[in-house]
Amino acid sequence: MMGIQRICIVLGMLFILVREGGAVTFTFVNRCTGTVWPGILSNAGSARMDPTGFELPPGAARAVPAPTGWSGRLWARTGCTQDGTGKVVCATGDCGSGTLECAGRGAAPPATLAEFTLDGGGRNDFYDVSLVDGYNLPLLVEPSGALGATATTCAAAGCAADLNARCPAELRAVGGAACRSACDAFGKPEFCCSGAYANPNTCRPTAYSQVFKSACPRSYSYAYDDPTSTFTCAGGRDYTITFCPVATPSLKSAGGTTTPTTTVPGVTTDAPPDMARPIGSQGGGGGGGAGQGVMLGDNSWLASLAMGDASSSRRASRLALLAAPLALLTLHLPRL
Protein backbone atom coordinates (compact mmCIF):
# COMPACT_ATOMS: atom_id res chain seq x y z
CA MET A 1 0.00 0.00 0.00
CA MET A 2 2.82 2.39 0.90
CA GLY A 3 4.49 1.58 -2.42
CA ILE A 4 1.33 2.57 -4.33
CA GLN A 5 1.13 5.83 -2.40
CA ARG A 6 4.73 6.65 -3.24
CA ILE A 7 4.08 5.92 -6.91
CA CYS A 8 1.08 8.26 -6.81
CA ILE A 9 3.26 10.98 -5.27
CA VAL A 10 5.87 10.55 -8.01
CA LEU A 11 3.19 10.68 -10.73
CA GLY A 12 1.73 13.80 -9.15
CA MET A 13 5.13 15.47 -9.12
CA LEU A 14 5.66 14.49 -12.75
CA PHE A 15 2.34 16.11 -13.62
CA ILE A 16 3.45 19.32 -11.90
CA LEU A 17 6.79 19.27 -13.71
CA VAL A 18 5.16 18.75 -17.10
CA ARG A 19 2.67 21.50 -16.34
CA GLU A 20 5.46 23.89 -15.36
CA GLY A 21 7.48 22.87 -18.41
CA GLY A 22 4.52 23.89 -20.56
CA ALA A 23 4.62 27.50 -19.30
CA VAL A 24 5.35 29.90 -22.15
CA THR A 25 8.42 32.15 -22.16
CA PHE A 26 8.90 35.08 -24.51
CA THR A 27 12.54 35.84 -25.25
CA PHE A 28 13.07 39.38 -26.52
CA VAL A 29 16.19 39.85 -28.68
CA ASN A 30 17.51 43.19 -29.91
CA ARG A 31 19.55 42.97 -33.11
CA CYS A 32 19.04 46.66 -33.86
CA THR A 33 22.05 48.95 -33.77
CA GLY A 34 20.42 51.07 -31.09
CA THR A 35 18.55 50.51 -27.84
CA VAL A 36 14.86 49.59 -27.93
CA TRP A 37 12.34 49.61 -25.09
CA PRO A 38 9.88 46.69 -25.46
CA GLY A 39 6.32 47.34 -24.36
CA ILE A 40 3.76 44.73 -23.30
CA LEU A 41 -0.01 45.16 -23.08
CA SER A 42 -2.35 42.43 -21.82
CA ASN A 43 -5.83 42.19 -23.31
CA ALA A 44 -8.87 42.83 -21.16
CA GLY A 45 -9.53 39.79 -18.98
CA SER A 46 -5.98 38.46 -19.37
CA ALA A 47 -3.49 38.30 -16.51
CA ARG A 48 -0.79 40.96 -16.57
CA MET A 49 2.67 40.01 -17.79
CA ASP A 50 5.53 41.28 -15.66
CA PRO A 51 7.29 43.51 -16.55
CA THR A 52 5.16 45.60 -18.91
CA GLY A 53 8.17 47.44 -20.30
CA PHE A 54 11.96 47.54 -20.04
CA GLU A 55 15.15 48.69 -21.73
CA LEU A 56 16.94 46.34 -24.14
CA PRO A 57 20.38 47.43 -25.38
CA PRO A 58 21.69 46.34 -28.80
CA GLY A 59 22.82 42.70 -28.82
CA ALA A 60 20.89 41.95 -25.61
CA ALA A 61 18.21 39.36 -24.85
CA ARG A 62 15.71 39.04 -22.02
CA ALA A 63 13.31 36.21 -21.15
CA VAL A 64 9.86 37.08 -19.79
CA PRO A 65 7.44 34.36 -18.60
CA ALA A 66 3.83 34.61 -19.72
CA PRO A 67 0.82 33.81 -17.49
CA THR A 68 -1.20 30.76 -18.51
CA GLY A 69 -3.67 31.63 -21.26
CA TRP A 70 -2.16 35.08 -21.77
CA SER A 71 -3.33 37.28 -24.64
CA GLY A 72 -2.07 40.68 -25.64
CA ARG A 73 0.44 42.54 -27.77
CA LEU A 74 4.19 43.23 -27.76
CA TRP A 75 6.14 45.96 -29.52
CA ALA A 76 9.31 48.05 -29.40
CA ARG A 77 9.55 51.70 -28.42
CA THR A 78 12.41 53.66 -29.95
CA GLY A 79 14.19 56.93 -29.23
CA CYS A 80 13.18 57.01 -25.56
CA THR A 81 14.54 59.87 -23.45
CA GLN A 82 14.04 61.08 -19.89
CA ASP A 83 13.36 64.73 -19.13
CA GLY A 84 14.36 66.72 -16.05
CA THR A 85 11.33 65.48 -14.11
CA GLY A 86 12.18 61.83 -14.83
CA LYS A 87 9.37 61.37 -17.36
CA VAL A 88 10.16 58.88 -20.15
CA VAL A 89 9.02 59.89 -23.65
CA CYS A 90 9.64 57.77 -26.77
CA ALA A 91 9.87 58.86 -30.40
CA THR A 92 7.91 55.81 -31.67
CA GLY A 93 5.65 53.27 -29.96
CA ASP A 94 5.25 55.47 -26.87
CA CYS A 95 2.69 54.07 -24.43
CA GLY A 96 2.17 57.36 -22.58
CA SER A 97 2.97 55.99 -19.12
CA GLY A 98 5.98 58.25 -18.63
CA THR A 99 8.02 55.32 -17.29
CA LEU A 100 9.85 52.21 -18.53
CA GLU A 101 6.73 50.20 -17.59
CA CYS A 102 3.72 50.65 -19.86
CA ALA A 103 1.39 49.67 -16.99
CA GLY A 104 -1.72 48.84 -19.03
CA ARG A 105 -1.20 51.33 -21.83
CA GLY A 106 -0.84 50.50 -25.51
CA ALA A 107 1.48 51.75 -28.24
CA ALA A 108 0.80 55.03 -29.99
CA PRO A 109 0.81 54.42 -33.75
CA PRO A 110 2.77 53.93 -35.86
CA ALA A 111 4.24 50.78 -34.33
CA THR A 112 4.90 47.21 -35.46
CA LEU A 113 2.89 44.88 -33.19
CA ALA A 114 3.16 41.18 -32.30
CA GLU A 115 -0.22 39.87 -31.13
CA PHE A 116 -0.78 36.64 -29.20
CA THR A 117 -3.55 34.48 -27.78
CA LEU A 118 -2.00 31.59 -25.86
CA ASP A 119 -3.83 28.36 -25.08
CA GLY A 120 -6.89 29.44 -27.05
CA GLY A 121 -9.33 27.31 -29.04
CA GLY A 122 -8.26 23.66 -29.15
CA ARG A 123 -5.47 24.56 -26.68
CA ASN A 124 -3.61 26.21 -29.55
CA ASP A 125 -1.62 29.42 -29.64
CA PHE A 126 -2.58 32.07 -32.20
CA TYR A 127 -0.26 34.88 -33.19
CA ASP A 128 0.46 37.45 -35.87
CA VAL A 129 2.62 40.48 -36.63
CA SER A 130 0.46 43.47 -37.48
CA LEU A 131 1.22 46.57 -39.54
CA VAL A 132 -2.39 47.75 -39.29
CA ASP A 133 -1.27 50.44 -36.82
CA GLY A 134 1.75 51.30 -38.95
CA TYR A 135 5.40 50.33 -38.67
CA ASN A 136 8.41 51.51 -36.71
CA LEU A 137 10.96 48.69 -37.03
CA PRO A 138 11.34 45.09 -38.29
CA LEU A 139 9.96 42.42 -35.95
CA LEU A 140 10.09 38.63 -36.19
CA VAL A 141 8.19 35.99 -34.15
CA GLU A 142 9.72 32.50 -34.00
CA PRO A 143 7.99 29.59 -32.23
CA SER A 144 10.27 26.96 -30.72
CA GLY A 145 10.36 23.48 -32.18
CA ALA A 146 8.32 24.27 -35.28
CA LEU A 147 9.86 22.02 -37.91
CA GLY A 148 8.74 21.84 -41.51
CA ALA A 149 5.81 24.16 -40.97
CA THR A 150 4.33 26.01 -43.93
CA ALA A 151 1.58 28.49 -44.77
CA THR A 152 -0.16 29.72 -41.60
CA THR A 153 0.64 26.74 -39.42
CA CYS A 154 3.28 26.91 -36.69
CA ALA A 155 5.94 28.98 -38.48
CA ALA A 156 7.98 32.15 -38.29
CA ALA A 157 5.89 35.30 -38.80
CA GLY A 158 6.71 38.94 -39.14
CA CYS A 159 8.39 41.63 -41.15
CA ALA A 160 12.14 41.50 -41.81
CA ALA A 161 12.09 44.43 -44.25
CA ASP A 162 12.98 48.05 -43.56
CA LEU A 163 9.65 49.63 -44.48
CA ASN A 164 10.84 53.08 -43.42
CA ALA A 165 13.10 53.04 -46.46
CA ARG A 166 10.19 52.57 -48.87
CA CYS A 167 7.43 54.35 -46.97
CA PRO A 168 5.33 56.66 -49.21
CA ALA A 169 6.11 60.31 -48.48
CA GLU A 170 2.57 61.01 -47.25
CA LEU A 171 2.85 58.24 -44.63
CA ARG A 172 6.28 59.07 -43.21
CA ALA A 173 6.39 60.00 -39.53
CA VAL A 174 8.95 61.05 -36.88
CA GLY A 175 11.42 62.29 -39.46
CA GLY A 176 11.38 59.00 -41.33
CA ALA A 177 11.74 56.83 -38.20
CA ALA A 178 8.27 55.31 -38.69
CA CYS A 179 5.64 54.71 -41.38
CA ARG A 180 1.98 55.47 -40.65
CA SER A 181 -0.91 53.33 -41.82
CA ALA A 182 -3.29 54.89 -44.36
CA CYS A 183 -6.03 54.75 -41.72
CA ASP A 184 -3.92 56.75 -39.27
CA ALA A 185 -2.81 59.22 -41.94
CA PHE A 186 -6.14 59.87 -43.68
CA GLY A 187 -8.86 58.53 -41.35
CA LYS A 188 -11.10 57.42 -44.23
CA PRO A 189 -13.48 54.44 -43.74
CA GLU A 190 -12.09 52.57 -46.75
CA PHE A 191 -8.63 52.64 -45.16
CA CYS A 192 -9.86 51.99 -41.62
CA CYS A 193 -12.38 49.23 -42.47
CA SER A 194 -15.05 51.19 -40.62
CA GLY A 195 -18.64 52.22 -41.38
CA ALA A 196 -19.80 50.73 -44.67
CA TYR A 197 -16.38 49.07 -44.99
CA ALA A 198 -16.53 47.20 -41.67
CA ASN A 199 -16.64 43.73 -43.20
CA PRO A 200 -14.30 41.62 -45.36
CA ASN A 201 -16.52 41.91 -48.42
CA THR A 202 -16.29 45.70 -48.67
CA CYS A 203 -12.94 46.37 -47.02
CA ARG A 204 -10.31 45.34 -49.52
CA PRO A 205 -6.54 45.85 -49.90
CA THR A 206 -5.50 49.36 -50.94
CA ALA A 207 -2.42 50.63 -52.74
CA TYR A 208 -1.02 51.58 -49.32
CA SER A 209 -1.66 48.25 -47.63
CA GLN A 210 -0.16 46.49 -50.64
CA VAL A 211 3.09 48.41 -50.13
CA PHE A 212 3.30 46.77 -46.70
CA LYS A 213 2.13 43.38 -47.94
CA SER A 214 4.56 43.16 -50.84
CA ALA A 215 7.49 43.78 -48.50
CA CYS A 216 6.16 41.70 -45.59
CA PRO A 217 3.82 38.96 -46.91
CA ARG A 218 3.59 37.27 -43.48
CA SER A 219 2.28 40.31 -41.64
CA TYR A 220 -1.17 41.87 -41.33
CA SER A 221 -1.40 44.79 -43.74
CA TYR A 222 -5.05 45.79 -43.13
CA ALA A 223 -7.88 44.76 -40.81
CA TYR A 224 -9.17 41.75 -42.80
CA ASP A 225 -5.84 40.44 -44.03
CA ASP A 226 -6.40 37.04 -42.36
CA PRO A 227 -5.62 34.15 -44.74
CA THR A 228 -1.83 34.61 -44.85
CA SER A 229 -1.34 36.53 -41.63
CA THR A 230 -2.61 34.51 -38.63
CA PHE A 231 -0.45 31.64 -37.41
CA THR A 232 -1.29 28.68 -35.16
CA CYS A 233 0.87 26.45 -32.94
CA ALA A 234 0.03 23.72 -30.46
CA GLY A 235 0.12 25.36 -27.03
CA GLY A 236 2.99 25.17 -24.57
CA ARG A 237 5.92 26.22 -26.76
CA ASP A 238 8.15 29.26 -26.27
CA TYR A 239 8.52 32.22 -28.61
CA THR A 240 11.43 34.45 -29.60
CA ILE A 241 10.61 38.06 -30.45
CA THR A 242 13.46 39.58 -32.47
CA PHE A 243 13.64 43.28 -33.21
CA CYS A 244 15.59 44.06 -36.40
CA PRO A 245 16.30 40.44 -37.43
CA VAL A 246 18.44 42.05 -40.12
CA ALA A 247 20.44 44.92 -38.61
CA THR A 248 19.09 48.39 -39.44
CA PRO A 249 20.55 51.90 -39.16
CA SER A 250 21.09 53.35 -35.69
CA LEU A 251 17.75 54.13 -34.08
CA LYS A 252 17.28 57.83 -33.47
CA SER A 253 16.07 59.48 -30.32
CA ALA A 254 13.45 62.22 -30.36
CA GLY A 255 16.32 64.70 -30.68
CA GLY A 256 17.76 62.93 -33.72
CA THR A 257 20.84 61.46 -32.06
CA THR A 258 21.81 57.88 -31.41
CA THR A 259 20.43 56.75 -28.06
CA PRO A 260 23.01 55.78 -25.40
CA THR A 261 22.73 52.28 -24.03
CA THR A 262 22.55 51.13 -20.43
CA THR A 263 22.79 47.59 -19.11
CA VAL A 264 19.87 46.75 -16.84
CA PRO A 265 19.22 43.78 -14.49
CA GLY A 266 17.88 40.65 -16.14
CA VAL A 267 19.49 41.40 -19.49
CA THR A 268 22.25 39.45 -21.18
CA THR A 269 24.52 41.23 -23.61
CA ASP A 270 25.95 38.43 -25.73
CA ALA A 271 26.56 39.90 -29.16
CA PRO A 272 24.43 38.41 -31.96
CA PRO A 273 26.03 36.86 -35.04
CA ASP A 274 27.17 39.24 -37.76
CA MET A 275 24.14 40.40 -39.69
CA ALA A 276 23.89 41.83 -43.18
CA ARG A 277 23.62 45.61 -43.30
CA PRO A 278 20.80 47.42 -45.10
CA ILE A 279 21.31 49.24 -48.35
CA GLY A 280 19.31 52.14 -49.69
CA SER A 281 17.91 52.79 -46.23
CA GLN A 282 17.83 56.54 -46.58
CA GLY A 283 14.94 57.21 -48.90
CA GLY A 284 13.17 54.87 -51.28
CA GLY A 285 14.74 52.31 -53.56
CA GLY A 286 17.36 50.15 -51.99
CA GLY A 287 18.69 47.02 -53.57
CA GLY A 288 17.15 44.30 -51.42
CA GLY A 289 15.26 41.44 -53.00
CA ALA A 290 11.74 42.33 -54.07
CA GLY A 291 12.38 45.95 -53.12
CA GLN A 292 12.71 45.24 -49.42
CA GLY A 293 15.44 47.81 -48.82
CA VAL A 294 17.64 45.37 -46.87
CA MET A 295 20.45 43.09 -47.97
CA LEU A 296 19.70 39.45 -47.22
CA GLY A 297 22.10 36.62 -47.98
CA ASP A 298 21.12 34.34 -50.85
CA ASN A 299 20.87 31.38 -48.47
CA SER A 300 19.23 33.28 -45.61
CA TRP A 301 15.94 31.93 -44.30
CA LEU A 302 15.10 35.58 -43.58
CA ALA A 303 15.15 36.15 -47.31
CA SER A 304 12.61 33.34 -47.61
CA LEU A 305 10.50 34.93 -44.87
CA ALA A 306 10.40 38.24 -46.73
CA MET A 307 9.28 36.34 -49.82
CA GLY A 308 6.64 34.42 -47.87
CA ASP A 309 8.36 31.03 -47.67
CA ALA A 310 9.91 30.77 -44.22
CA SER A 311 10.45 27.88 -41.82
CA SER A 312 11.05 28.31 -38.10
CA SER A 313 14.36 27.80 -36.37
CA ARG A 314 15.06 24.68 -34.34
CA ARG A 315 15.39 24.63 -30.57
CA ALA A 316 16.44 21.76 -28.32
CA SER A 317 13.71 20.08 -26.26
CA ARG A 318 13.56 20.53 -22.51
CA LEU A 319 12.12 17.10 -21.78
CA ALA A 320 15.42 15.95 -20.32
CA LEU A 321 15.18 18.68 -17.69
CA LEU A 322 11.72 17.50 -16.75
CA ALA A 323 12.70 13.86 -16.55
CA ALA A 324 15.75 14.38 -14.32
CA PRO A 325 13.87 15.14 -11.05
CA LEU A 326 11.59 12.15 -11.62
CA ALA A 327 14.57 9.86 -12.11
CA LEU A 328 16.12 11.05 -8.85
CA LEU A 329 12.88 10.42 -6.97
CA THR A 330 12.53 6.95 -8.44
CA LEU A 331 15.99 5.95 -7.22
CA HIS A 332 14.85 6.54 -3.63
CA LEU A 333 11.65 4.48 -3.87
CA PRO A 334 11.79 1.10 -2.03
CA ARG A 335 11.09 -1.98 -4.06
CA LEU A 336 7.47 -3.13 -3.92
mmCIF file of all heavy atoms in Angstrom, residues 182-201:
data_model
loop_
_atom_site.group_PDB
_atom_site.id
_atom_site.type_symbol
_atom_site.label_atom_id
_atom_site.label_comp_id
_atom_site.label_asym_id
_atom_site.label_seq_id
_atom_site.Cartn_x
_atom_site.Cartn_y
_atom_site.Cartn_z
ATOM 1 N N ALA A 182 -2.413 53.966 -43.634
ATOM 2 C CA ALA A 182 -3.287 54.886 -44.357
ATOM 3 C C ALA A 182 -4.466 55.309 -43.489
ATOM 4 O O ALA A 182 -4.934 56.455 -43.581
ATOM 5 C CB ALA A 182 -3.774 54.234 -45.647
ATOM 6 N N CYS A 183 -4.935 54.403 -42.624
ATOM 7 C CA CYS A 183 -6.033 54.753 -41.719
ATOM 8 C C CYS A 183 -5.600 55.875 -40.780
ATOM 9 O O CYS A 183 -6.317 56.861 -40.592
ATOM 10 C CB CYS A 183 -6.464 53.521 -40.927
ATOM 11 S SG CYS A 183 -7.704 53.869 -39.648
ATOM 12 N N ASP A 184 -4.414 55.744 -40.199
ATOM 13 C CA ASP A 184 -3.917 56.750 -39.270
ATOM 14 C C ASP A 184 -3.665 58.073 -39.983
ATOM 15 O O ASP A 184 -3.929 59.151 -39.447
ATOM 16 C CB ASP A 184 -2.629 56.237 -38.617
ATOM 17 C CG ASP A 184 -2.076 57.192 -37.575
ATOM 18 O OD1 ASP A 184 -2.877 57.783 -36.830
ATOM 19 O OD2 ASP A 184 -0.842 57.332 -37.490
ATOM 20 N N ALA A 185 -3.169 58.010 -41.210
ATOM 21 C CA ALA A 185 -2.810 59.222 -41.937
ATOM 22 C C ALA A 185 -4.028 59.967 -42.478
ATOM 23 O O ALA A 185 -4.074 61.204 -42.441
ATOM 24 C CB ALA A 185 -1.860 58.874 -43.078
ATOM 25 N N PHE A 186 -5.025 59.222 -42.981
ATOM 26 C CA PHE A 186 -6.135 59.865 -43.680
ATOM 27 C C PHE A 186 -7.473 59.728 -42.958
ATOM 28 O O PHE A 186 -8.377 60.532 -43.191
ATOM 29 C CB PHE A 186 -6.262 59.285 -45.098
ATOM 30 C CG PHE A 186 -4.967 59.297 -45.863
ATOM 31 C CD1 PHE A 186 -4.461 58.126 -46.407
ATOM 32 C CD2 PHE A 186 -4.253 60.460 -46.035
ATOM 33 C CE1 PHE A 186 -3.272 58.124 -47.116
ATOM 34 C CE2 PHE A 186 -3.057 60.474 -46.740
ATOM 35 C CZ PHE A 186 -2.560 59.309 -47.278
ATOM 36 N N GLY A 187 -7.635 58.705 -42.130
ATOM 37 C CA GLY A 187 -8.859 58.533 -41.353
ATOM 38 C C GLY A 187 -10.090 58.185 -42.153
ATOM 39 O O GLY A 187 -11.212 58.300 -41.649
ATOM 40 N N LYS A 188 -9.942 57.738 -43.402
ATOM 41 C CA LYS A 188 -11.099 57.422 -44.234
ATOM 42 C C LYS A 188 -11.590 56.000 -43.971
ATOM 43 O O LYS A 188 -10.787 55.094 -43.739
ATOM 44 C CB LYS A 188 -10.743 57.600 -45.704
ATOM 45 C CG LYS A 188 -10.444 59.040 -46.099
ATOM 46 C CD LYS A 188 -10.193 59.164 -47.594
ATOM 47 C CE LYS A 188 -9.967 60.619 -47.997
ATOM 48 N NZ LYS A 188 -9.722 60.753 -49.460
ATOM 49 N N PRO A 189 -12.925 55.770 -44.029
ATOM 50 C CA PRO A 189 -13.481 54.439 -43.736
ATOM 51 C C PRO A 189 -12.888 53.330 -44.601
ATOM 52 O O PRO A 189 -12.690 52.218 -44.123
ATOM 53 C CB PRO A 189 -14.981 54.615 -44.010
ATOM 54 C CG PRO A 189 -15.231 56.066 -43.793
ATOM 55 C CD PRO A 189 -13.990 56.763 -44.277
ATOM 56 N N GLU A 190 -12.623 53.624 -45.874
ATOM 57 C CA GLU A 190 -12.094 52.570 -46.745
ATOM 58 C C GLU A 190 -10.695 52.137 -46.335
ATOM 59 O O GLU A 190 -10.273 51.023 -46.632
ATOM 60 C CB GLU A 190 -12.098 53.029 -48.209
ATOM 61 C CG GLU A 190 -11.289 54.279 -48.483
ATOM 62 C CD GLU A 190 -12.125 55.540 -48.444
ATOM 63 O OE1 GLU A 190 -13.038 55.633 -47.597
ATOM 64 O OE2 GLU A 190 -11.850 56.445 -49.275
ATOM 65 N N PHE A 191 -9.955 53.002 -45.663
ATOM 66 C CA PHE A 191 -8.633 52.643 -45.164
ATOM 67 C C PHE A 191 -8.699 52.042 -43.755
ATOM 68 O O PHE A 191 -7.853 51.254 -43.372
ATOM 69 C CB PHE A 191 -7.713 53.867 -45.138
ATOM 70 C CG PHE A 191 -7.419 54.446 -46.484
ATOM 71 C CD1 PHE A 191 -7.571 55.808 -46.720
ATOM 72 C CD2 PHE A 191 -6.992 53.643 -47.535
ATOM 73 C CE1 PHE A 191 -7.291 56.347 -47.958
ATOM 74 C CE2 PHE A 191 -6.710 54.178 -48.782
ATOM 75 C CZ PHE A 191 -6.867 55.536 -48.997
ATOM 76 N N CYS A 192 -9.737 52.440 -43.006
ATOM 77 C CA CYS A 192 -9.860 51.993 -41.617
ATOM 78 C C CYS A 192 -10.785 50.789 -41.452
ATOM 79 O O CYS A 192 -10.944 50.276 -40.342
ATOM 80 C CB CYS A 192 -10.386 53.138 -40.749
ATOM 81 S SG CYS A 192 -9.300 54.575 -40.682
ATOM 82 N N CYS A 193 -11.400 50.326 -42.547
ATOM 83 C CA CYS A 193 -12.378 49.227 -42.473
ATOM 84 C C CYS A 193 -13.471 49.547 -41.449
ATOM 85 O O CYS A 193 -13.807 48.722 -40.589
ATOM 86 C CB CYS A 193 -11.686 47.902 -42.137
ATOM 87 S SG CYS A 193 -10.589 47.309 -43.456
ATOM 88 N N SER A 194 -14.000 50.749 -41.528
ATOM 89 C CA SER A 194 -15.054 51.185 -40.617
ATOM 90 C C SER A 194 -16.292 51.586 -41.421
ATOM 91 O O SER A 194 -16.254 51.670 -42.659
ATOM 92 C CB SER A 194 -14.572 52.379 -39.777
ATOM 93 O OG SER A 194 -14.192 53.469 -40.602
ATOM 94 N N GLY A 195 -17.399 51.821 -40.717
ATOM 95 C CA GLY A 195 -18.640 52.218 -41.378
ATOM 96 C C GLY A 195 -19.090 51.189 -42.396
ATOM 97 O O GLY A 195 -19.191 49.990 -42.088
ATOM 98 N N ALA A 196 -19.342 51.634 -43.607
ATOM 99 C CA ALA A 196 -19.801 50.729 -44.667
ATOM 100 C C ALA A 196 -18.719 49.726 -45.070
ATOM 101 O O ALA A 196 -19.013 48.744 -45.763
ATOM 102 C CB ALA A 196 -20.246 51.539 -45.884
ATOM 103 N N TYR A 197 -17.496 49.960 -44.630
ATOM 104 C CA TYR A 197 -16.381 49.073 -44.990
ATOM 105 C C TYR A 197 -15.994 48.132 -43.845
ATOM 106 O O TYR A 197 -14.936 47.523 -43.882
ATOM 107 C CB TYR A 197 -15.174 49.910 -45.384
ATOM 108 C CG TYR A 197 -15.379 50.731 -46.627
ATOM 109 C CD1 TYR A 197 -15.928 52.010 -46.549
ATOM 110 C CD2 TYR A 197 -15.047 50.235 -47.885
ATOM 111 C CE1 TYR A 197 -16.136 52.779 -47.689
ATOM 112 C CE2 TYR A 197 -15.241 50.992 -49.035
ATOM 113 C CZ TYR A 197 -15.787 52.253 -48.921
ATOM 114 O OH TYR A 197 -15.986 53.002 -50.058
ATOM 115 N N ALA A 198 -16.862 47.995 -42.857
ATOM 116 C CA ALA A 198 -16.529 47.205 -41.671
ATOM 117 C C ALA A 198 -16.830 45.722 -41.843
ATOM 118 O O ALA A 198 -17.363 45.067 -40.944
ATOM 119 C CB ALA A 198 -17.284 47.754 -40.461
ATOM 120 N N ASN A 199 -16.511 45.170 -42.986
ATOM 121 C CA ASN A 199 -16.636 43.729 -43.199
ATOM 122 C C ASN A 199 -15.678 43.335 -44.318
ATOM 123 O O ASN A 199 -15.282 44.177 -45.134
ATOM 124 C CB ASN A 199 -18.090 43.339 -43.522
ATOM 125 C CG ASN A 199 -18.554 43.879 -44.854
ATOM 126 O OD1 ASN A 199 -18.216 43.323 -45.908
ATOM 127 N ND2 ASN A 199 -19.326 44.980 -44.821
ATOM 128 N N PRO A 200 -15.307 42.051 -44.379
ATOM 129 C CA PRO A 200 -14.296 41.625 -45.355
ATOM 130 C C PRO A 200 -14.743 41.707 -46.806
ATOM 131 O O PRO A 200 -13.905 41.659 -47.706
ATOM 132 C CB PRO A 200 -14.007 40.175 -44.945
ATOM 133 C CG PRO A 200 -15.198 39.743 -44.174
ATOM 134 C CD PRO A 200 -15.701 40.963 -43.481
ATOM 135 N N ASN A 201 -16.035 41.828 -47.040
ATOM 136 C CA ASN A 201 -16.516 41.907 -48.420
ATOM 137 C C ASN A 201 -16.322 43.299 -49.012
ATOM 138 O O ASN A 201 -16.104 43.446 -50.225
ATOM 139 C CB ASN A 201 -18.003 41.527 -48.481
ATOM 140 C CG ASN A 201 -18.229 40.073 -48.123
ATOM 141 O OD1 ASN A 201 -17.445 39.203 -48.495
ATOM 142 N ND2 ASN A 201 -19.311 39.800 -47.393
#
